[in-house]
Amino acid sequence: MLAALSLTNEEIRTLDACSLHGPHPRQRRRALAVLGHHRGHSIGQLAHLFAVRYATVHSWLHAWQDRGLAGLAEGRRVGRPAQVVEAAKKK
């Protein structure tokens, strides 16, 4: 079990700003999860709140600890590339 994160005032302000104005919705959600854990919510509670697996929230928290805000950024996603029809490409 991961102990509640201890954040500095600057980190809290950074995460608050990211949760409101982050460049991607997933990054905003991750910032909210880190803040929630700092405020005493368990990983299980956060997983339920964000409708993700326990391991997902756990990885978000470790990404924050390891790389800070950059760890919460949206990275490459795996899977098949989107199929774009020719008419849509011309627009």
Side-chain angles (χ1 to χ4, degrees):
M1 182 159 165
L2 192 64
L5 295 176
S6 178
L7 301 174
T8 66
N9 288 336
E10 183 178 340
E11 289 173 328
I12 293 169
R13 283 191 298 275
T14 298
L15 287 164
D16 274 334
C18 181
S19 72
L20 295 171
H21 308 292
H24 197 280
R26 289 186 193 101
Q27 185 180 26
R28 294 192 292 268
R29 181 170 61 166
R30 293 174 193 132
L32 285 171
V34 173
L35 285 170
H37 196 259
H38 165 73
R39 293 177 177 143
H41 296 285
S42 71
I43 295 175
Q45 290 170 327
L46 294 166
H48 180 75
L49 177 68
F50 292 109
V52 297
R53 294 179 319 127
Y54 180 97
T56 300
V57 176
H58 193 264
S59 69
W60 293 347
L61 298 174
H62 276 286
W64 166 259
Q65 287 179 321
D66 294 344
R67 299 186 317 270
L69 197 56
L72 304 181
E74 184 65 12
R76 285 183 48 96
R77 302 195 56 84
V78 297
R80 184 176 177 178
Q83 299 295 316
V84 181
V85 294
E86 287 300 318
K89 287 182 181 179
K90 294 178 182 178
K91 287 186 177 183

